[in-house]
C-alpha cells in the first residue's frame, strides 16, 4: 500500500498537480456539524445546490459506495499581481483570469486513474471531482494534509497560500492516509478587518449573503442597494481577503499556462465592452472556456453597471441609458437605473422618470428610489 501510494503521488506531480494527499474514506463529523449550522443560519443565501442532501457532503462513504480512499489534489493558480485598475475597468478574481479550471483539470484526474488501473491490473471504481462536488472539499484537503483552514474559510497551503484549485478522486483502492493538518490560521485578522462588506462574521465563517464573490458570481438577482457601493471595482469575484492574508506573500507562479491571464479573459475587462454584450448567445461565445460563464449575461452586465457607478465612470452613461430603456432583462434594467442615478444625477432625471412606467416592479422601485435621492 505504501509503495502504491508513493507511485500515485509521484504520478500526480508528474501530471502537474502541485500538492497531493490521501484521506481514508470516513465521515467528516465535525465539519458536518459546522456546515449544517452555517446552512441553518441562512448564510448560504439562495445557493439551493448547497442545501440539497447537505449531510452527504460530509459523508464521502455514502457518496461513492465501496470507495476506500480519497486522493486530494491541489493546483496552484497564482499568476501574478493586478496592474493598476483604472476607471472603466472591472476587476476579475485571479482564479478566473485564465481558462476555466473545470475544463482544464479533469483530463489529468482521469489520466491518474488510468495509471492506477495499469499498476493494479484491474478496473478501478472511481469518481473524479473538481469543485462541482457534493463534498466538503476544503475539509477533505485539510484531512489529507494539504493545508489548514483560514479565518476566511479558504484552504491555506504552505507552498502556494490559498491560491489553489482543489480536486478529488474517490476510489475503491486502499492508499496510505496522510496526517491531517491540525494547525490553526496565523490569526492575523487582516481578512476579517479588510473584507469590504464585513462578510467574515466570525472566525472561519463567511456569510455568503454579504460576500462579493457570491454577490457577483452566484447571485444573479438583485444586489441589495446598501451593498452595491461596497463592491468597488470587482466585476467578477473578489480577492481581498486572500490578497491581505500573510500566508499569501512571495509565492511561486503557477506552471499551468492555462491559468495565465493571456490564456483567458485576463485581469480586468473594459466595462464598455461588457455593457455592450447584446445577447445570451454573444455572452456565451465571448466567455466560452472561461469561469465567467457562471455569472451569465445578466450577472455580468449587472456587475458592470455597479462598477461603473462606483468608479464614477461617466462614459458608461449612454450604454446604461440604452440598457435601462431596451434590455429585456429587468435585473439589468433596474441596476442600470440605479447606476445612472448615481452617475448622472439630475441630468438623467427625465430618463429615469420614464422608468417609473416600466412593466417590472423592481425597475419601478429603483427609479422611485433614485428620484427621491
Ligand atoms: S471574498 Fe471578498 S467579500 Fe468575500 S469574504 Fe473575502 S474579502 Fe470578504
Amino acid at each position: 500500500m505504501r509503495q502504491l501510494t508513493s507511485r500515485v503521488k509521484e504520478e500526480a506531480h508528474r501530471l502537474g498537480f502541485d500538492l497531493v494527499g490521501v484521506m481514508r474514506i470516513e465521515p467528516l463529523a465535525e465539519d458536518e456539524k459546522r456546515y449544517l449550522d452555517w446552512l441553518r443560519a441562512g448564510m448560504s443565501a439562495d445557493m439551493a445546490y448547497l442545501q440539497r442532501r447537505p449531510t452527504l457532503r460530509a459523508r464521502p462513504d455514502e457518496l461513492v459506495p465501496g470507495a476506500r480512499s480519497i486522493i486530494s489534489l491541489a493546483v496552484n493558480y497564482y499568476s501574478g499581481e493586478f496592474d493598476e485598475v483604472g476607471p472603466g475597468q472591472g476587476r476579475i478574481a485571479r482564479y478566473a483570469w485564465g481558462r476555466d479550471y473545470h475544463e482544464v483539470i479533469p483530463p489529468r484526474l482521469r489520466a491518474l486513474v488510468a495509471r492506477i488501473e495499469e499498476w493494479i491490473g484491474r478496473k478501478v471504481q472511481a469518481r473524479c471531482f473538481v469543485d462541482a462536488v457534493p463534498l466538503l472539499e476544503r475539509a477533505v484537503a485539510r484531512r489529507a494534509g494539504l493545508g489548514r483552514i483560514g479565518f476566511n474559510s479558504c484552504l491555506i497551503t504552505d507552498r502556494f497560500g490559498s491560491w489553489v484549485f482543489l480536486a478529488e478522486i474517490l476510489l475503491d483502492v486502499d492508499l496510505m492516509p496522510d496526517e491531517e493538518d491540525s494547525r490553526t490560521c496565523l490569526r492575523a485578522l487582516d481578512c476579517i478587518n479588510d473584507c469590504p462588506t464585513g462578510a467574515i462574521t466570525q472566525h472561519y465563517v463567511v456569510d455568503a449573503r454579504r460576500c462579493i464573490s457570491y454577490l457577483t458570481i452566484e447571485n444573479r438577482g438583485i444586489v441589495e442597494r446598501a451593498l452595491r457601493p461596497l463592491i468597488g471595482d470587482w466585476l467578477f469575484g473578489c480577492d481581498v481577503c486572500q490578497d491581505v492574508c500573510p500566508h499569501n506573500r512571495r509565492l511561486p507562479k503557477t506552471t499551468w499556462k492555462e491559468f495565465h491571464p493571456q490564456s483567458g479573459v485576463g485581469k480586468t475587462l473594459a466595462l464598455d465592452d461588457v455593457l455592450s454584450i447584446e445577447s445570451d448567445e454573444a455572452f456565451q461565445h465571448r466567455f466560452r472556456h472561461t469561469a465567467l460563464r457562471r455569472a451569465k449575461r445578466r450577472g455580468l452586465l449587472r456587475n458592470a453597471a455597479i462598477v461603473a457607478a462606483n468608479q464614477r465612470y461617466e462614459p458608461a452613461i449612454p450604454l446604461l441609458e440604452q440598457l435601462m430603456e431596451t434590455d429585456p432583462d429587468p435585473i439589468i434594467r433596474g441596476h442600470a437605473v440605479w447606476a445612472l442615478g448615481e452617475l448622472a444625477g439630475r441630468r438623467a432625471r427625465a430618463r429615469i422618470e420614464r422608468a417609473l412606467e416600466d412593466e417590472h416592479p423592481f425597475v419601478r422601485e429603483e427609479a422611485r428610489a433614485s428620484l427621491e435621492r
Side-chain angles (χ1 to χ4, degrees), residues 152 191 194-197 199-200 206 210-213 238-241:
N152 59 357
C191 58
D194 289 7
C195 171
T197 55
I200 308 175
V206 175
R210 298 188 66 80
C211 175
I212 296 169
S213 280
C238 169
D239 279 344
V240 173
C241 56

Side-chain angles (χ1 to χ4, degrees), residues 129-347:
F129 298 106
V130 180
D131 185 40
V133 50
L135 181 67
L136 299 177
E137 280 193 296
R138 282 167 286 186
V140 167
R142 189 191 72 75
R143 287 283 287 272
L146 263 54
R148 65 184 95 180
I149 305 294
F151 281 165
N152 59 357
S153 85
C154 292
L155 181 86
I156 299 178
T157 70
D158 285 348
R159 283 176 57 205
F160 308 105
S162 58
W163 310 114
V164 288
F165 295 126
L166 296 177
E168 301 79 29
I169 302 172
L170 279 70
L171 70 174
D172 65 345
V173 175
D174 281 310
L175 295 170
M176 280 292 291
D178 284 283
E179 220 171 280
E180 69 176 346
D181 190 330
S182 49
R183 294 171 299 168
T184 57
C185 178
L186 266 185
R187 300 177 172 269
L189 300 181
D190 301 66
C191 58
I192 296 176
N193 295 335
D194 289 7
C195 171
T197 55
I200 308 175
T201 54
Q202 49 178 294
H203 300 171
Y204 309 110
V205 178
V206 175
D207 185 344
R209 294 167 298 188
R210 298 188 66 80
C211 175
I212 296 169
S213 280
Y214 162 76
L215 292 171
T216 58
I217 302 173
E218 299 295 329
N219 165 36
R220 298 180 200 108
I222 299 167
V223 175
E224 249 179 70
R225 229 174 275 148
L227 290 173
R228 293 174 201 163
L230 307 181
I231 286 176
D233 54 15
W234 288 104
L235 179 65
F236 183 89
C238 169
D239 279 344
V240 173
C241 56
Q242 298 190 80
D243 268 328
V244 299
C245 175
H247 294 278
N248 279 349
R249 309 239 161 93
R250 291 182 291 281
L251 295 172
K253 289 191 179 172
T254 181
T255 54
W256 294 53
K257 64 178 184 339
E258 296 93 330
F259 302 132
H260 291 177
Q262 50 277 21
S263 300
V265 290
K267 303 177 181 183
T268 58
L269 281 173
L271 300 180
D272 296 340
D273 288 350
V274 175
L275 292 169
S276 305
I277 297 172
E278 284 182 347
S279 65
D280 291 337
E281 294 70 35
F283 175 87
Q284 287 297 332
H285 182 72
R286 170 82 174 78
F287 296 114
R288 66 193 185 284
H289 307 308
T290 78
L292 271 73
R293 278 179 311 168
R294 182 90 184 153
K296 303 203 180 330
R297 174 180 180 269
R298 161 187 277 193
L300 204 67
L301 268 71
R302 174 204 60 194
N303 300 346
I306 293 172
V307 174
N310 290 344
Q311 292 181 338
R312 323 287 329 152
Y313 180 61
E314 296 203 1
I317 289 175
L319 287 167
L320 290 168
E321 286 174 345
Q322 197 183 339
L323 289 170
M324 178 183 81
E325 287 171 359
T326 63
D327 199 87
D329 190 321
I331 293 295
I332 294 175
R333 292 202 303 280
H335 288 84
V337 170
W338 174 81
L340 261 182
E342 294 290 309
L343 271 176
R346 286 172 180 279
R347 281 177 289 149

Side-chain angles (χ1 to χ4, degrees), residues 105-122:
I105 296 176
R108 302 207 202 182
L109 295 174
R110 290 193 289 271
L112 183 55
V113 173
R115 295 292 285 153
I116 297 170
E117 287 180 334
E118 265 173 51
W119 294 328
I120 65 174
R122 69 166 171 88

